[in-house]
Amino acid sequence: MSRVYNFSAGPAVLPEEVLQEAADEMLDYRGTGMSVMEMSHRSKAYDTIIKEAEADLRELMNIPDNYKVLFLQGGASQQFAMIPMNLMKNKVADYIVTGQWAKKAYQEACIYGKANKIASSEDKTFSYIPDCSDLPISDDADYVYICENNTIYGTKFKTLPNTKGKPLVADVSSCFLSEPVDVTKYGVIYGGVQKNIGPAGVVIVIIREDLITEDVLPGTPTMLRYKIHADNGSLYNTPPAYGIYICGKVFKWLKKRGGLEAMKEYNEKKAKILYDYLDESKLFHGTVRKEDRSLMNVPFVTGDEELDAKFVKEATAAGFVNLKGHRTVGGMRASIYNAMPIEGVEKLVEFMKAFEAANMPV
């Protein structure tokens, strides 16, 4: 069977050449006589893998020396607790809620202290990003939290909020490495890798050193302390070794493609093909305010649930898979991450045009 065009929101499409390279090394990684899956995380070969992965990520994102890069487990959702446990010194934090994951992070923070919802777009089903230029930031807030790209709803912060000097914490799971980023604008920037970087099971946390302290909330487990992982170079315990190895390959693939500037250009070109069609289509339409549209996740609907279901079924049969929208919103969603080739989007639009011609109400 040939490969399909996989529009899944995560776990998601990976670069074919990365998968091929991993397949070639599956039984014997560079003369070691074993797979990376079988290798001790304390071995010389693995030490090179994790160190190279970090060096390549630092180069791609231009990460300053006063930020630590941590490869952790538990996915982005575990960070919802780890962040307040480590950063809530005053037990106060401000949250901007622009989707399901920011909402879950906010609810989790409420367990550990006073979490203030200072802005939200829930009033319009999270279809826009609120104006964050002058928010009521709490004087004693330890940080301000956002989910920068909302996978389910297809919105993206184009301008970061004015945090009035407070550290910004951002979940970038679904826009990680899709465009250049100024790391110095964040206190913590983190994301699960299973959308744009690698297989599920790894979360990458990039955290400013002054935020890593011994002073954590009472009862914080050893495994949930940033300092423990930072002091041990992400090797305090057995890390998600194979996942990190694949991430490292993806970093090299991105460097070969020209880095994040080149990816941004490519991603804009890809997204434009789909958005331009949605804007002119009589059958399909996007659900997000134009200025807040994500380059990575594109939700759309016909306005008729039965027709949506028919479209998903026929698209799947034609080799365009995982287009069904998230269960909380319905409709369709095309996730067009870095590894989705431009022809995948072009062919999807061709298919949508043919579907429209055949199904337009007379």
mmCIF file of all heavy atoms in Angstrom, residues 189-230:
data_model
loop_
_atom_site.group_PDB
_atom_site.id
_atom_site.type_symbol
_atom_site.label_atom_id
_atom_site.label_comp_id
_atom_site.label_asym_id
_atom_site.label_seq_id
_atom_site.Cartn_x
_atom_site.Cartn_y
_atom_site.Cartn_z
ATOM 1 N N ILE A 189 8.959 28.021 27.177
ATOM 2 C CA ILE A 189 8.296 27.683 25.921
ATOM 3 C C ILE A 189 8.383 26.159 25.815
ATOM 4 O O ILE A 189 9.453 25.588 25.966
ATOM 5 C CB ILE A 189 8.944 28.443 24.733
ATOM 6 C CG1 ILE A 189 8.239 28.164 23.422
ATOM 7 C CG2 ILE A 189 10.417 28.195 24.618
ATOM 8 C CD1 ILE A 189 8.658 29.131 22.309
ATOM 9 N N TYR A 190 7.239 25.508 25.672
ATOM 10 C CA TYR A 190 7.264 24.041 25.726
ATOM 11 C C TYR A 190 6.242 23.449 24.769
ATOM 12 O O TYR A 190 5.317 24.124 24.333
ATOM 13 C CB TYR A 190 6.974 23.567 27.159
ATOM 14 C CG TYR A 190 5.509 23.587 27.541
ATOM 15 C CD1 TYR A 190 4.711 22.458 27.340
ATOM 16 C CD2 TYR A 190 4.902 24.727 28.076
ATOM 17 C CE1 TYR A 190 3.357 22.470 27.662
ATOM 18 C CE2 TYR A 190 3.564 24.740 28.402
ATOM 19 C CZ TYR A 190 2.789 23.612 28.194
ATOM 20 O OH TYR A 190 1.449 23.625 28.502
ATOM 21 N N GLY A 191 6.433 22.162 24.471
ATOM 22 C CA GLY A 191 5.436 21.496 23.626
ATOM 23 C C GLY A 191 5.649 19.997 23.545
ATOM 24 O O GLY A 191 6.787 19.516 23.598
ATOM 25 N N GLY A 192 4.549 19.290 23.423
ATOM 26 C CA GLY A 192 4.607 17.869 23.082
ATOM 27 C C GLY A 192 5.095 17.772 21.648
ATOM 28 O O GLY A 192 4.748 18.606 20.821
ATOM 29 N N VAL A 193 5.888 16.746 21.351
ATOM 30 C CA VAL A 193 6.525 16.701 20.025
ATOM 31 C C VAL A 193 5.694 15.995 18.963
ATOM 32 O O VAL A 193 6.035 16.022 17.782
ATOM 33 C CB VAL A 193 7.922 16.030 20.087
ATOM 34 C CG1 VAL A 193 8.800 16.725 21.105
ATOM 35 C CG2 VAL A 193 7.810 14.536 20.374
ATOM 36 N N GLN A 194 4.583 15.351 19.372
ATOM 37 C CA GLN A 194 3.893 14.425 18.459
ATOM 38 C C GLN A 194 3.075 15.107 17.363
ATOM 39 O O GLN A 194 2.387 14.444 16.603
ATOM 40 C CB GLN A 194 2.990 13.468 19.254
ATOM 41 C CG GLN A 194 1.733 14.085 19.833
ATOM 42 C CD GLN A 194 1.956 14.817 21.149
ATOM 43 O OE1 GLN A 194 3.084 15.026 21.565
ATOM 44 N NE2 GLN A 194 0.884 15.231 21.791
ATOM 45 N N LYS A 195 3.176 16.411 17.265
ATOM 46 C CA LYS A 195 2.462 17.102 16.199
ATOM 47 C C LYS A 195 3.417 17.516 15.077
ATOM 48 O O LYS A 195 3.158 17.293 13.914
ATOM 49 C CB LYS A 195 1.737 18.327 16.760
ATOM 50 C CG LYS A 195 0.688 17.933 17.793
ATOM 51 C CD LYS A 195 0.129 19.128 18.535
ATOM 52 C CE LYS A 195 -0.815 18.708 19.633
ATOM 53 N NZ LYS A 195 -2.009 18.017 19.162
ATOM 54 N N ASN A 196 4.532 18.109 15.461
ATOM 55 C CA ASN A 196 5.391 18.688 14.426
ATOM 56 C C ASN A 196 6.836 18.207 14.462
ATOM 57 O O ASN A 196 7.638 18.650 13.650
ATOM 58 C CB ASN A 196 5.373 20.224 14.555
ATOM 59 C CG ASN A 196 5.385 20.912 13.210
ATOM 60 O OD1 ASN A 196 5.147 20.297 12.171
ATOM 61 N ND2 ASN A 196 5.685 22.187 13.193
ATOM 62 N N ILE A 197 7.171 17.316 15.420
ATOM 63 C CA ILE A 197 8.592 16.997 15.593
ATOM 64 C C ILE A 197 8.919 15.511 15.677
ATOM 65 O O ILE A 197 9.953 15.077 15.189
ATOM 66 C CB ILE A 197 9.153 17.710 16.854
ATOM 67 C CG1 ILE A 197 8.922 19.222 16.772
ATOM 68 C CG2 ILE A 197 10.636 17.430 17.031
ATOM 69 C CD1 ILE A 197 9.300 19.981 18.020
ATOM 70 N N GLY A 198 8.083 14.722 16.314
ATOM 71 C CA GLY A 198 8.478 13.323 16.526
ATOM 72 C C GLY A 198 7.327 12.464 17.002
ATOM 73 O O GLY A 198 6.168 12.860 16.936
ATOM 74 N N PRO A 199 7.653 11.271 17.506
ATOM 75 C CA PRO A 199 6.598 10.379 18.001
ATOM 76 C C PRO A 199 6.118 10.798 19.390
ATOM 77 O O PRO A 199 6.845 11.458 20.134
ATOM 78 C CB PRO A 199 7.294 9.012 18.061
ATOM 79 C CG PRO A 199 8.751 9.293 18.085
ATOM 80 C CD PRO A 199 8.991 10.687 17.604
ATOM 81 N N ALA A 200 4.915 10.406 19.745
ATOM 82 C CA ALA A 200 4.349 10.743 21.053
ATOM 83 C C ALA A 200 5.241 10.197 22.168
ATOM 84 O O ALA A 200 5.886 9.169 22.010
ATOM 85 C CB ALA A 200 2.946 10.160 21.167
ATOM 86 N N GLY A 201 5.259 10.911 23.289
ATOM 87 C CA GLY A 201 6.002 10.426 24.445
ATOM 88 C C GLY A 201 7.090 11.369 24.911
ATOM 89 O O GLY A 201 7.697 11.151 25.954
ATOM 90 N N VAL A 202 7.357 12.423 24.141
ATOM 91 C CA VAL A 202 8.380 13.398 24.528
ATOM 92 C C VAL A 202 7.737 14.771 24.619
ATOM 93 O O VAL A 202 6.912 15.133 23.780
ATOM 94 C CB VAL A 202 9.529 13.474 23.476
ATOM 95 C CG1 VAL A 202 10.648 14.401 23.962
ATOM 96 C CG2 VAL A 202 10.079 12.097 23.153
ATOM 97 N N VAL A 203 8.130 15.530 25.651
ATOM 98 C CA VAL A 203 7.777 16.954 25.690
ATOM 99 C C VAL A 203 9.095 17.711 25.850
ATOM 100 O O VAL A 203 9.975 17.292 26.600
ATOM 101 C CB VAL A 203 6.773 17.290 26.832
ATOM 102 C CG1 VAL A 203 7.316 16.939 28.198
ATOM 103 C CG2 VAL A 203 6.361 18.753 26.802
ATOM 104 N N ILE A 204 9.249 18.773 25.075
ATOM 105 C CA ILE A 204 10.465 19.587 25.163
ATOM 106 C C ILE A 204 10.126 20.860 25.929
ATOM 107 O O ILE A 204 9.148 21.538 25.609
ATOM 108 C CB ILE A 204 11.008 19.936 23.760
ATOM 109 C CG1 ILE A 204 11.412 18.649 23.025
ATOM 110 C CG2 ILE A 204 12.202 20.881 23.863
ATOM 111 C CD1 ILE A 204 11.802 18.848 21.562
ATOM 112 N N VAL A 205 10.923 21.164 26.948
ATOM 113 C CA VAL A 205 10.727 22.379 27.744
ATOM 114 C C VAL A 205 11.974 23.247 27.608
ATOM 115 O O VAL A 205 13.090 22.787 27.867
ATOM 116 C CB VAL A 205 10.491 22.037 29.236
ATOM 117 C CG1 VAL A 205 10.364 23.312 30.065
ATOM 118 C CG2 VAL A 205 9.239 21.172 29.409
ATOM 119 N N ILE A 206 11.778 24.478 27.165
ATOM 120 C CA ILE A 206 12.873 25.444 27.064
ATOM 121 C C ILE A 206 12.588 26.488 28.135
ATOM 122 O O ILE A 206 11.574 27.190 28.083
ATOM 123 C CB ILE A 206 12.907 26.077 25.653
ATOM 124 C CG1 ILE A 206 13.125 24.978 24.594
ATOM 125 C CG2 ILE A 206 13.996 27.138 25.555
ATOM 126 C CD1 ILE A 206 12.654 25.355 23.203
ATOM 127 N N ILE A 207 13.446 26.550 29.140
ATOM 128 C CA ILE A 207 13.129 27.358 30.331
ATOM 129 C C ILE A 207 14.316 28.231 30.730
ATOM 130 O O ILE A 207 15.465 27.777 30.728
ATOM 131 C CB ILE A 207 12.660 26.436 31.496
ATOM 132 C CG1 ILE A 207 12.380 27.243 32.768
ATOM 133 C CG2 ILE A 207 13.652 25.302 31.769
ATOM 134 C CD1 ILE A 207 11.654 26.452 33.859
ATOM 135 N N ARG A 208 13.991 29.489 31.053
ATOM 136 C CA ARG A 208 15.037 30.432 31.469
ATOM 137 C C ARG A 208 15.610 29.994 32.816
ATOM 138 O O ARG A 208 14.865 29.613 33.724
ATOM 139 C CB ARG A 208 14.431 31.834 31.562
ATOM 140 C CG ARG A 208 15.394 32.957 31.214
ATOM 141 C CD ARG A 208 14.702 34.291 31.123
ATOM 142 N NE ARG A 208 14.060 34.620 32.393
ATOM 143 C CZ ARG A 208 12.905 35.278 32.485
ATOM 144 N NH1 ARG A 208 12.260 35.674 31.400
ATOM 145 N NH2 ARG A 208 12.382 35.546 33.668
ATOM 146 N N GLU A 209 16.929 30.070 32.944
ATOM 147 C CA GLU A 209 17.598 29.515 34.119
ATOM 148 C C GLU A 209 17.128 30.108 35.440
ATOM 149 O O GLU A 209 17.049 29.396 36.439
ATOM 150 C CB GLU A 209 19.119 29.699 33.996
ATOM 151 C CG GLU A 209 19.750 28.651 33.096
ATOM 152 C CD GLU A 209 21.249 28.834 32.925
ATOM 153 O OE1 GLU A 209 21.763 29.927 33.225
ATOM 154 O OE2 GLU A 209 21.895 27.876 32.473
ATOM 155 N N ASP A 210 16.793 31.403 35.456
ATOM 156 C CA ASP A 210 16.388 32.009 36.743
ATOM 157 C C ASP A 210 15.054 31.466 37.252
ATOM 158 O O ASP A 210 14.704 31.658 38.417
ATOM 159 C CB ASP A 210 16.321 33.538 36.627
ATOM 160 C CG ASP A 210 15.311 33.986 35.580
ATOM 161 O OD1 ASP A 210 15.562 33.745 34.376
ATOM 162 O OD2 ASP A 210 14.268 34.559 35.945
ATOM 163 N N LEU A 211 14.313 30.775 36.386
ATOM 164 C CA LEU A 211 13.029 30.201 36.805
ATOM 165 C C LEU A 211 13.195 28.778 37.351
ATOM 166 O O LEU A 211 12.242 28.173 37.833
ATOM 167 C CB LEU A 211 12.042 30.196 35.630
ATOM 168 C CG LEU A 211 11.672 31.580 35.086
ATOM 169 C CD1 LEU A 211 10.838 31.454 33.815
ATOM 170 C CD2 LEU A 211 10.922 32.408 36.126
ATOM 171 N N ILE A 212 14.407 28.249 37.248
ATOM 172 C CA ILE A 212 14.673 26.890 37.754
ATOM 173 C C ILE A 212 15.275 27.009 39.144
ATOM 174 O O ILE A 212 16.437 27.394 39.290
ATOM 175 C CB ILE A 212 15.669 26.147 36.829
ATOM 176 C CG1 ILE A 212 15.156 26.118 35.390
ATOM 177 C CG2 ILE A 212 15.928 24.738 37.338
ATOM 178 C CD1 ILE A 212 16.164 25.589 34.381
ATOM 179 N N THR A 213 14.485 26.719 40.162
ATOM 180 C CA THR A 213 14.992 26.861 41.533
ATOM 181 C C THR A 213 14.606 25.649 42.378
ATOM 182 O O THR A 213 13.792 24.822 41.972
ATOM 183 C CB THR A 213 14.404 28.127 42.199
ATOM 184 O OG1 THR A 213 12.984 27.951 42.348
ATOM 185 C CG2 THR A 213 14.671 29.379 41.385
ATOM 186 N N GLU A 214 15.203 25.604 43.567
ATOM 187 C CA GLU A 214 14.846 24.571 44.560
ATOM 188 C C GLU A 214 13.477 24.878 45.161
ATOM 189 O O GLU A 214 12.814 24.008 45.712
ATOM 190 C CB GLU A 214 15.869 24.568 45.718
ATOM 191 C CG GLU A 214 17.283 24.251 45.296
ATOM 192 C CD GLU A 214 17.561 22.760 45.275
ATOM 193 O OE1 GLU A 214 16.592 21.968 45.367
ATOM 194 O OE2 GLU A 214 18.741 22.396 45.132
ATOM 195 N N ASP A 215 13.099 26.154 45.073
ATOM 196 C CA ASP A 215 11.888 26.645 45.735
ATOM 197 C C ASP A 215 10.641 26.267 44.931
ATOM 198 O O ASP A 215 10.200 27.010 44.066
ATOM 199 C CB ASP A 215 12.020 28.178 45.863
ATOM 200 C CG ASP A 215 10.803 28.815 46.495
ATOM 201 O OD1 ASP A 215 10.058 28.097 47.183
ATOM 202 O OD2 ASP A 215 10.585 30.026 46.281
ATOM 203 N N VAL A 216 10.109 25.076 45.221
ATOM 204 C CA VAL A 216 8.913 24.609 44.521
ATOM 205 C C VAL A 216 7.797 24.414 45.545
ATOM 206 O O VAL A 216 8.041 24.464 46.750
ATOM 207 C CB VAL A 216 9.183 23.277 43.765
ATOM 208 C CG1 VAL A 216 10.206 23.494 42.670
ATOM 209 C CG2 VAL A 216 9.657 22.182 44.723
ATOM 210 N N LEU A 217 6.575 24.217 45.054
ATOM 211 C CA LEU A 217 5.464 24.033 45.991
ATOM 212 C C LEU A 217 5.676 22.772 46.829
ATOM 213 O O LEU A 217 6.167 21.756 46.318
ATOM 214 C CB LEU A 217 4.136 23.933 45.238
ATOM 215 C CG LEU A 217 3.658 25.176 44.480
ATOM 216 C CD1 LEU A 217 2.247 24.958 43.947
ATOM 217 C CD2 LEU A 217 3.675 26.424 45.362
ATOM 218 N N PRO A 218 5.311 22.818 48.113
ATOM 219 C CA PRO A 218 5.451 21.626 48.959
ATOM 220 C C PRO A 218 4.701 20.454 48.328
ATOM 221 O O PRO A 218 3.622 20.629 47.769
ATOM 222 C CB PRO A 218 4.782 22.040 50.276
ATOM 223 C CG PRO A 218 4.758 23.537 50.264
ATOM 224 C CD PRO A 218 4.709 23.951 48.826
ATOM 225 N N GLY A 219 5.313 19.282 48.398
ATOM 226 C CA GLY A 219 4.655 18.092 47.851
ATOM 227 C C GLY A 219 4.956 17.846 46.395
ATOM 228 O O GLY A 219 4.478 16.869 45.818
ATOM 229 N N THR A 220 5.760 18.720 45.758
ATOM 230 C CA THR A 220 6.113 18.497 44.347
ATOM 231 C C THR A 220 6.997 17.263 44.233
ATOM 232 O O THR A 220 8.066 17.214 44.844
ATOM 233 C CB THR A 220 6.848 19.726 43.768
ATOM 234 O OG1 THR A 220 5.986 20.859 43.840
ATOM 235 C CG2 THR A 220 7.244 19.501 42.315
ATOM 236 N N PRO A 221 6.569 16.257 43.467
ATOM 237 C CA PRO A 221 7.390 15.041 43.341
ATOM 238 C C PRO A 221 8.754 15.354 42.710
ATOM 239 O O PRO A 221 8.874 16.280 41.901
ATOM 240 C CB PRO A 221 6.567 14.144 42.402
ATOM 241 C CG PRO A 221 5.183 14.695 42.443
ATOM 242 C CD PRO A 221 5.312 16.166 42.715
ATOM 243 N N THR A 222 9.744 14.577 43.092
ATOM 244 C CA THR A 222 11.094 14.753 42.552
ATOM 245 C C THR A 222 11.076 14.791 41.025
ATOM 246 O O THR A 222 11.712 15.638 40.401
ATOM 247 C CB THR A 222 11.994 13.581 43.022
ATOM 248 O OG1 THR A 222 11.954 13.556 44.449
ATOM 249 C CG2 THR A 222 13.424 13.745 42.551
ATOM 250 N N MET A 223 10.313 13.882 40.422
ATOM 251 C CA MET A 223 10.279 13.783 38.955
ATOM 252 C C MET A 223 9.622 14.986 38.286
ATOM 253 O O MET A 223 9.714 15.148 37.078
ATOM 254 C CB MET A 223 9.517 12.514 38.537
ATOM 255 C CG MET A 223 10.365 11.251 38.545
ATOM 256 S SD MET A 223 11.719 11.314 37.370
ATOM 257 C CE MET A 223 10.851 11.268 35.830
ATOM 258 N N LEU A 224 8.932 15.804 39.062
ATOM 259 C CA LEU A 224 8.261 16.969 38.470
ATOM 260 C C LEU A 224 8.973 18.276 38.806
ATOM 261 O O LEU A 224 8.401 19.348 38.738
ATOM 262 C CB LEU A 224 6.796 17.018 38.920
ATOM 263 C CG LEU A 224 5.921 15.849 38.473
ATOM 264 C CD1 LEU A 224 4.456 16.085 38.835
ATOM 265 C CD2 LEU A 224 6.034 15.594 36.975
ATOM 266 N N ARG A 225 10.240 18.181 39.169
ATOM 267 C CA ARG A 225 11.023 19.394 39.461
ATOM 268 C C ARG A 225 11.956 19.690 38.283
ATOM 269 O O ARG A 225 12.783 18.852 37.905
ATOM 270 C CB ARG A 225 11.860 19.191 40.733
ATOM 271 C CG ARG A 225 11.009 18.955 41.956
ATOM 272 C CD ARG A 225 11.861 18.638 43.171
ATOM 273 N NE ARG A 225 10.987 18.312 44.296
ATOM 274 C CZ ARG A 225 11.220 18.665 45.547
ATOM 275 N NH1 ARG A 225 12.315 19.332 45.851
ATOM 276 N NH2 ARG A 225 10.374 18.328 46.508
ATOM 277 N N TYR A 226 11.827 20.874 37.739
ATOM 278 C CA TYR A 226 12.687 21.239 36.604
ATOM 279 C C TYR A 226 14.165 21.144 36.971
ATOM 280 O O TYR A 226 14.993 20.732 36.168
ATOM 281 C CB TYR A 226 12.376 22.660 36.118
ATOM 282 C CG TYR A 226 11.046 22.796 35.410
ATOM 283 C CD1 TYR A 226 10.134 23.783 35.779
ATOM 284 C CD2 TYR A 226 10.706 21.948 34.357
ATOM 285 C CE1 TYR A 226 8.920 23.915 35.122
ATOM 286 C CE2 TYR A 226 9.493 22.074 33.700
ATOM 287 C CZ TYR A 226 8.599 23.065 34.092
ATOM 288 O OH TYR A 226 7.396 23.192 33.444
ATOM 289 N N LYS A 227 14.496 21.526 38.217
ATOM 290 C CA LYS A 227 15.904 21.563 38.615
ATOM 291 C C LYS A 227 16.549 20.177 38.533
ATOM 292 O O LYS A 227 17.700 20.037 38.104
ATOM 293 C CB LYS A 227 16.038 22.137 40.030
ATOM 294 C CG LYS A 227 17.489 22.475 40.372
ATOM 295 C CD LYS A 227 17.620 23.387 41.557
ATOM 296 C CE LYS A 227 19.029 23.865 41.822
ATOM 297 N NZ LYS A 227 20.140 23.147 41.233
ATOM 298 N N ILE A 228 15.812 19.174 38.933
ATOM 299 C CA ILE A 228 16.329 17.798 38.890
ATOM 300 C C ILE A 228 16.720 17.431 37.457
ATOM 301 O O ILE A 228 17.805 16.908 37.192
ATOM 302 C CB ILE A 228 15.257 16.808 39.426
ATOM 303 C CG1 ILE A 228 15.047 16.999 40.938
ATOM 304 C CG2 ILE A 228 15.613 15.357 39.090
ATOM 305 C CD1 ILE A 228 16.176 16.517 41.823
ATOM 306 N N HIS A 229 15.833 17.732 36.504
ATOM 307 C CA HIS A 229 16.091 17.374 35.109
ATOM 308 C C HIS A 229 17.179 18.258 34.499
ATOM 309 O O HIS A 229 18.008 17.775 33.717
ATOM 310 C CB HIS A 229 14.793 17.454 34.298
ATOM 311 C CG HIS A 229 13.777 16.460 34.757
ATOM 312 N ND1 HIS A 229 13.909 15.106 34.522
ATOM 313 C CD2 HIS A 229 12.630 16.600 35.476
ATOM 314 C CE1 HIS A 229 12.879 14.469 35.055
ATOM 315 N NE2 HIS A 229 12.093 15.348 35.645
ATOM 316 N N ALA A 230 17.180 19.535 34.866
ATOM 317 C CA ALA A 230 18.191 20.452 34.331
ATOM 318 C C ALA A 230 19.580 20.063 34.842
ATOM 319 O O ALA A 230 20.556 20.027 34.069
ATOM 320 C CB ALA A 230 17.861 21.882 34.739
#
